[in-house]
Amino acid sequence: MIPQGLTAIKEGLPYLLEGALVNIAVVLGAMALGFALGLPLAVGHVYGNRKTRGLIGIYILFFRGIPLLVLLFLFYFGLFSLSGINASAFTVAIVVLGLISAAYQSQILRGAILSLPEGQMKAALSIGMSKKKAIFFVILPQALRLSIPGWSNEYSILLKDSAVAYALGVAELMARAHHVASRTYQHLYLYLTAGFIFLLLTYLGTKGLNVLYKKVGIPGYLR
Amino acid sequence: MKELIYLFHDVFPALMSGLWISIQLIIPSVIFGASMGIIAGTLSVYGHPLLKVASKTYVTIFRGFPLLVQLYIWYFGLPRIGIYFSPMAAAIIGFSLCSGAYQSEYVRGALLSIKKGQLLAAHALGFSRTKTLLSVILPQALRRALPGCGNEIIYLIKYSSLAYMVTCIELTGKGKILASASLKYTEIFMIVGAIYLVLVSVASLLLNRMETWLSVPGFEQHRA
């Protein structure tokens, strides 16, 4: 039983690793989209007027309150086909994970912005910077550095959530483990292998972001 | 009109029966998950060195594997070695163990935040180690861990939708079946999403209430 399992793993491994690349592509795409949307959401949430904050609050409630699987089905089978956009499952997975991640990343960034002393904004304004300039050149460079630990959490959540893209038929790691398992009947071994690949990717990613955090940190400032 | 009849006659009863199954999944998972979290968290701080290693390993593996992979292992993997679970049992086991691993980290953090002097003081009063833990340390630590564990419970509610992937037809599964039959994907998943939003909102309200009920007046109030 065990030797058969090991042969199945050995034969399936290159195929599985190709799938892991798909997961990485989904995660990178979703993180980038999440950042591109999350940054304005965070700035709007902190510095915007009441109406903006209300709208952003609704966006965050929607994408944090509804399960990923339901959103994937809603977008893939519902909204995308309704609007006539012919998007692949892979694209939909990136878009949905990105929209969800934007909600979470905006909260990470908001926390970082709020953790900066309020005096910095006042000081920037008093030396004649515009509010926009103050946000870009004073607040964000610090807030982004502070957000890295939050991002490393977000990365590990996204990576694990990217396995759910399997439900739409994206040929990622989990789907491939399922393919190989159905062919060889070694379900247990292949899912364990898939799990350990995810574990390894999580470990490497969080380690990498930790190194980045130390590298971009300003010596003697921010811990 | 026809659509309204369809909505009230077919969609709502089916979704409500799905919701009931979701709730049957969520409640035991919350209870077992919290128990696992408390046990693993406590062992990782106060346990025997071997038990510490065991709970560390448990946390690493169950936090590192995606929940979907875990569910597949419970439901599709274990029959390989002769262990069979019903879809519902597999889902509950998967949710509880995964949620327990995350919750144990909050419990561990809370335990470590209790000052060591309390342990010494209880010791000086003649409390045994177990007694100290149960009646001095844990009551405080669990209150501190509640906000974090509450977050995990909210996550658990959302992740309960993954039970559909191991053929346990709950709210999402019912929605998928209805939508495939009627091709009204957008409408039905909007309704399903709204039901989850209500569930999550109610749960976070209850958890907030619980924090207030459990807080000891005049002692350690974190909220402004």
Side-chain angles (χ1 to χ4, degrees):
Chain A
M1 198 168 104
I2 290 172
Q4 286 167 353
L6 291 180
T7 343
I9 291 173
K10 217 170 112 192
E11 278 173 10
L13 202 58
Y15 183 65
L16 292 186
L17 289 176
E18 259 173 58
L21 290 180
V22 177
N23 285 81
I24 293 171
V26 169
V27 171
L28 290 181
M31 281 210 74
L33 179 62
F35 178 65
L37 284 172
L39 187 62
L41 286 177
V43 173
H45 208 164
V46 178
Y47 297 110
N49 57 24
R50 239 174 109 183
K51 213 170 141 196
T52 331
R53 271 184 306 192
L55 284 176
I56 293 171
I58 291 171
Y59 176 90
I60 289 171
L61 180 74
F62 188 81
F63 282 100
R64 291 210 306 182
I66 298 178
L68 168 64
L69 189 62
V70 175
L71 285 174
L72 282 174
F73 284 154
L74 176 65
F75 276 78
Y76 187 56
F77 296 114
L79 296 176
F80 269 89
S81 51
L82 203 71
S83 57
I85 302 168
N86 200 0
S88 69
F90 177 74
T91 322
V92 174
I94 291 181
V95 169
V96 171
L97 278 170
L99 290 174
I100 294 174
S101 185
Y104 283 100
Q105 287 192 38
S106 77
Q107 294 303 295
I108 295 171
L109 280 164
R110 191 173 77 103
I113 293 174
L114 289 178
S115 77
L116 295 173
E118 218 181 320
Q120 299 213 4
M121 187 67 177
K122 286 184 186 150
L125 291 179
S126 74
I127 57 169
M129 283 176 135
S130 68
K131 201 170 176 180
K132 213 160 123 196
K133 248 186 166 167
I135 291 172
F136 267 101
F137 295 108
V138 180
I139 304 291
L140 285 184
Q142 301 176 66
L144 291 182
R145 285 183 168 86
L146 280 176
S147 313
I148 294 176
W151 274 325
S152 104
N153 261 338
E154 182 62 16
Y155 162 78
S156 77
I157 292 171
L158 270 178
L159 182 68
K160 281 175 272 167
D161 277 354
S162 71
V164 182
Y166 162 50
L168 298 186
V170 179
E172 44 73 60
L173 178 52
M174 184 63 205
R176 284 166 190 245
H178 189 64
H179 296 164
V180 182
S182 323
R183 198 156 42 85
T184 57
Y185 292 103
Q186 302 295 337
H187 292 269
L188 182 58
Y189 297 99
L190 283 154
Y191 295 143
L192 282 174
T193 314
F196 277 110
I197 296 174
F198 275 113
L199 190 69
L200 190 71
L201 286 177
T202 314
Y203 176 78
L204 291 177
T206 46
K207 264 268 140 65
L209 278 168
N210 207 359
V211 170
L212 180 74
Y213 182 57
K214 293 221 172 95
K215 201 151 195 170
V216 299
I218 301 161
Y221 186 60
L222 300 178
R223 265 167 288 166
Chain B
M1 196 60 207
K2 219 177 110 197
E3 296 207 329
L4 269 182
I5 292 171
Y6 170 71
L7 204 66
F8 283 101
H9 190 262
D10 296 331
V11 174
F12 266 105
L15 288 185
M16 285 307 134
S17 71
L19 176 62
W20 175 233
I21 294 174
S22 285
I23 291 172
Q24 283 175 306
L25 283 172
I26 293 164
I27 289 177
S29 305
V30 167
I31 294 169
F32 292 136
S35 323
M36 273 311 285
I38 293 168
I39 294 170
T42 313
L43 287 181
S44 73
V45 179
Y46 292 108
H48 183 271
L50 267 177
L51 287 172
K52 274 188 195 176
V53 175
S55 72
K56 259 248 149 70
T57 318
Y58 160 68
V59 171
T60 313
I61 289 185
F62 284 82
R63 291 207 317 168
F65 278 31
L67 181 54
L68 189 60
V69 175
Q70 292 179 37
L71 289 176
Y72 265 56
I73 289 174
W74 295 116
Y75 187 63
F76 295 111
L78 288 187
R80 184 83 188 89
I81 52 170
I83 302 171
Y84 292 86
F85 290 118
S86 70
M88 194 139 178
I92 291 175
I93 293 172
F95 295 152
S96 309
L97 289 175
C98 184
S99 184
Y102 282 96
Q103 293 195 33
S104 79
E105 286 296 279
Y106 290 105
V107 174
R108 193 176 68 98
L111 282 171
L112 290 174
S113 78
I114 304 285
K115 288 201 183 74
K116 215 173 170 196
Q118 299 211 13
L119 205 73
L120 296 175
H123 208 71
L125 286 171
F127 278 70
S128 73
R129 205 176 146 84
T130 328
K131 192 97 209 276
T132 314
L133 209 60
L134 289 180
S135 38
V136 179
I137 310 286
L138 274 177
Q140 300 177 61
L142 293 185
R143 285 188 173 88
R144 279 192 198 173
L146 192 61
C149 289
N151 248 340
E152 284 311 317
I153 289 170
I154 304 281
Y155 274 106
L156 180 62
I157 294 174
K158 289 195 291 164
Y159 278 120
S160 74
S161 62
L162 290 185
Y164 159 66
M165 301 293 288
V166 288
T167 69
C168 179
I169 303 300
E170 36 64 82
L171 183 54
T172 312
K174 289 272 186 205
K176 183 79 173 42
I177 290 170
L178 283 169
S180 316
S182 64
L183 295 178
K184 293 187 192 309
Y185 280 97
T186 314
E187 294 88 337
I188 287 172
F189 282 119
M190 280 288 195
I191 298 173
V192 171
I195 296 175
Y196 275 110
L197 264 183
V198 171
L199 266 185
V200 166
S201 311
V202 169
S204 65
L205 204 80
L206 283 179
L207 286 163
N208 267 334
R209 280 280 165 79
M210 208 162 124
E211 261 176 67
T212 326
W213 286 333
L214 287 177
S215 70
V216 180
F219 183 66
E220 286 218 340
Q221 264 162 344
H222 290 291
R223 295 125 144 301

